[in-house]
Amino acid sequence: MKAWLQQHLAALVRAARRLTDSPLSTLLSILVIGIAMALPAAGYLCLDNLKTLGANSSRAQQMSLFMNTGASEKTRSDVEKRLEATLPDQWRFVSRDAALRQMEANEGMAEIVASLPRNPLPDAFILEPDNADPEHLETLRATLSAWPGVAHVQLDSAWIKRFDAFLRLGRLAVHLLAVIFAVGLIAVTFNTIRLQVLGQAEEIEVARLIGATDAFIRRPFCYSGVLQGALGGLTAALLLLAGTLALAPPVSRLAALYGGTFAPHGPSFLHSLALVASGAALGWLGAQLSVRLIRDQ
Amino acid sequence: MIVGSQICKRYPGGLEALKNVSFEIAGGEMALVGGHSGAGKTTLLKLLSAIERPTSGSLIVNGQNLVALRPAALPFLRRNLGLVFQDQKLLFDRSALENVLLPLEIIGLAPRDAQRRARAALDKVGLLTREKTNPIALSGGEQQRLAIARAVVNRPTILLADEPTANLDEESARQVLDLFIAFNQVRVTVIIATHAPQNLFPGMAVRVLTLNHGTLTP
């Protein structure tokens, strides 16, 4: 076991040495891998931020529950109790008088309101459910509509559905992009390792003649692929972090102009770790494909 | 012990390098494989080191029939063989010591033990003071001695050498041959392919297998 670990450690050291022996080409390879990984990861990060933005937007999850105009005080009280049980602290009551006053306050509406023989507006509840999932909101709307005394429940579902469809499409595009760039990353690693294998042909031949197994010969190349992929993943995470830091102030200012507060978040530690790990895995895969050449030599 | 029986080696294209070659070499023996250029000496050495396989016949080295040897078993067979080539096959991107360390890294010897054993091998061939030197800076004779150090560092039971003195001056050739004698004296089987076996060990009774157009002559 100790000898096995020592051989792996020695292979890792040899792989690192091979990378540092040609620093410029190693740096370029890592940069190419980093950029290839950063693009789909940036797309994912954008969608994640948009999702957060959508969830933060009150309009995205706001529903209006309108009572029948002739609903009694008791009916309204029943609805209040039910709402408190269903959506505790996620609703507020707007009386028909308050709604009329709000309407009256709007420019040009005062005369129209004054000309009305009576208040035509119903009592209403404004709901802001914590769970903004479109399917959940649709179910909630159907449930609330069936309550006694409720005339209509309005949900800006079209907007939410459009937003959700956009996010779904974006996610699909990001996944496709990730697959394309993953193939590209494997190709880059394959080519880099292939060149290393060709460059080390003499050493491979000598090692074979003095009793090296295929595994012994392949090991440093595989570690080389893993190191390049992992460093590429780290580069991608750093590029995303730098991009987020650069974009955060103007995005926040833009959000403030629309009366909101929003600061885009960069890659989390786990996200960065996933980038490094997937880079290492793809690098290993590219190296594995490339070292098949050794067997064919 | 090495036992070859009715060995034939035919290359693609029809060239028959060895024809029905049979021989026995006892453990600890020294044998020379002689013959003119193209007689089949190198082919025989390649068969003995399992670089190539016989087309027919059987070849038993260290109790293993090389004709039926699985590819996965080859590295382990070669670890018990020391190979010395005419062109040395040294690695010029590492030092003399690192060249000798390579077989020990392959068998997974602990670094400290490996260093000690590699230095002992370099000492044996008189190159300990040149351990940090790149092989390219060594003379032809020193390069050949370094190749021998690498071949014996794993303590092989059989040492195979293909024209080890071909490109060396007389003094360097003598030093190299003395090393082979020294290893043979500690019961290592030594087989040397050479085009001039009679000049190699003058005054010594060494068995010579002479090949002529792929067949062993009596």
Side-chain angles (χ1 to χ4, degrees):
Chain A
M1 183 68 182
K2 199 177 167 190
W4 183 83
L5 281 174
Q6 271 168 355
Q7 283 197 334
H8 275 267
L9 188 65
L12 185 62
V13 170
R14 267 202 301 279
R17 203 186 294 169
R18 273 177 195 166
L19 292 180
T20 52
D21 279 349
S22 47
L24 188 64
S25 66
T26 300
L27 198 68
L28 287 174
S29 292
I30 290 171
L31 208 57
V32 167
I33 293 169
I35 291 168
M37 291 187 77
L39 288 172
Y44 171 80
L45 203 58
C46 275
L47 289 176
D48 205 40
N49 274 303
L50 278 175
K51 201 175 162 189
T52 312
L53 183 66
N56 286 347
S57 166
S58 58
R59 279 182 302 168
Q61 53 190 334
Q62 188 168 295
M63 299 169 82
S64 302
L65 184 154
F66 299 103
M67 300 293 293
N68 287 324
T69 43
S72 66
E73 189 70 18
K74 185 181 174 304
T75 311
R76 185 175 65 82
S77 173
D78 286 345
V79 169
E80 270 185 16
K81 282 176 193 158
R82 283 183 165 209
L83 278 176
E84 192 50 36
T86 315
L87 301 165
D89 298 330
Q90 297 162 50
W91 60 274
R92 62 192 161 86
F93 175 66
V94 179
S95 70
R96 55 201 300 260
D97 295 334
L100 190 69
R101 278 198 298 277
Q102 266 182 21
M103 195 182 207
E104 213 171 8
N106 289 340
E107 198 178 328
M109 294 296 287
E111 284 181 18
I112 297 169
V113 169
S115 68
L116 293 172
R118 59 185 175 81
N119 182 356
L121 300 176
D123 286 332
F125 294 88
I126 307 299
L127 317 177
E128 289 182 359
D130 289 340
N131 186 348
D133 178 57
E135 282 179 19
H136 171 78
L137 292 179
E138 196 56 47
T139 311
L140 187 64
R141 192 192 66 79
T143 308
L144 299 181
S145 299
W147 288 359
V150 174
H152 177 61
V153 178
Q154 186 177 305
L155 161 69
D156 194 2
S157 58
W159 189 91
I160 292 171
K161 279 177 181 168
R162 275 198 294 271
F163 186 69
D164 191 57
F166 169 76
L167 286 182
R168 279 175 201 269
L169 185 68
R171 267 196 291 271
L172 182 67
V174 164
H175 286 152
L176 285 174
L177 202 65
V179 170
I180 290 167
F181 279 101
V183 172
L185 192 155
I186 291 169
V188 167
T189 316
F190 175 88
N191 196 44
T192 311
I193 302 297
R194 188 181 66 90
L195 291 175
Q196 281 184 12
V197 169
L198 293 175
Q200 306 283 328
E202 201 181 355
E203 184 177 336
I204 291 168
E205 186 200 354
V206 171
R208 270 223 175 103
L209 288 173
I210 58 180
T213 57
D214 275 351
F216 178 89
I217 294 168
R218 286 201 304 259
R219 212 171 282 141
F221 295 109
C222 289
Y223 274 121
S224 189
V226 168
L227 282 177
Q228 275 187 57
L231 288 172
L234 187 66
T235 306
L238 291 174
L239 284 173
L240 289 182
L241 193 65
T244 312
L245 288 175
L247 284 174
V251 168
S252 296
R253 275 198 296 276
L254 187 68
L257 289 174
Y258 282 92
T261 55
F262 176 70
H265 63 80
S268 65
F269 176 72
L270 276 180
H271 188 181
S272 306
L273 203 64
L275 275 172
V276 172
S278 50
L282 290 169
W284 177 83
L285 189 61
Q288 277 289 325
L289 293 174
S290 197
V291 292
R292 282 168 188 263
L293 285 172
I294 294 174
R295 231 177 297 165
D296 301 338
Q297 270 180 6
Chain B
M1 182 157 187
I2 299 169
V3 181
S5 175
Q6 298 292 306
I7 299 169
C8 290
K9 177 63 186 176
R10 192 176 299 114
Y11 286 105
L15 174 70
E16 221 171 353
L18 293 176
K19 300 165 198 164
N20 294 320
V21 172
S22 298
F23 61 91
E24 275 189 29
I25 297 171
E29 190 180 353
M30 180 185 277
L32 302 179
V33 180
H36 58 85
S37 181
K41 305 183 296 291
T42 300
T43 301
L44 184 60
L45 249 61
K46 281 182 176 174
L47 297 185
L48 288 169
S49 52
I51 295 170
E52 288 178 4
R53 288 187 186 230
T55 311
S56 63
S58 81
L59 179 56
I60 295 166
V61 176
N62 283 344
Q64 289 179 291
N65 188 352
L66 302 193
V67 179
L69 198 68
R70 288 178 301 112
L74 266 180
F76 303 97
L77 173 95
R78 290 201 183 128
R79 289 175 193 182
N80 283 315
L81 302 176
L83 304 179
V84 180
F85 305 92
Q86 188 177 343
D87 61 353
Q88 293 106 23
K89 296 197 187 300
L90 296 170
L91 300 173
F92 295 110
D93 62 344
R94 48 183 83 187
S95 68
L97 179 67
E98 286 169 332
N99 267 276
V100 181
L101 277 171
L102 186 59
L104 303 172
E105 281 173 21
I106 287 169
I107 61 167
L109 202 67
R112 193 177 292 176
D113 295 338
Q115 294 263 345
R116 198 175 57 237
R117 213 201 274 188
R119 286 204 171 92
L122 281 173
D123 193 25
K124 185 83 185 164
V125 300
L127 288 175
L128 188 56
T129 54
R130 313 293 303 272
E131 67 169 50
K132 287 180 182 156
T133 309
N134 188 295
I136 207 147
L138 299 176
S139 69
E142 286 173 327
Q143 286 187 1
Q144 198 59 284
R145 281 189 279 145
L146 179 59
I148 293 171
R150 188 184 63 190
V152 298
V153 74
N154 255 348
R155 296 170 186 164
T157 53
I158 300 170
L159 194 54
L160 302 169
D162 188 10
E163 301 277 11
T165 57
N167 301 321
L168 304 182
D169 59 56
E170 204 173 321
E171 191 191 332
S172 299
R174 195 69 263 151
Q175 288 173 341
V176 166
L177 292 172
D178 286 345
L179 283 172
F180 286 122
I181 293 169
F183 287 115
N184 182 240
Q185 280 168 349
V186 291
R187 299 287 299 157
V188 175
T189 308
V190 177
I191 301 170
I192 302 171
T194 172
H195 63 283
Q198 65 280 5
N199 303 331
L200 228 48
F201 299 105
M204 271 182 74
V206 178
R207 185 171 158 213
V208 179
L209 303 170
T210 307
L211 283 165
N212 186 16
H213 295 294
T215 53
L216 267 182
T217 55

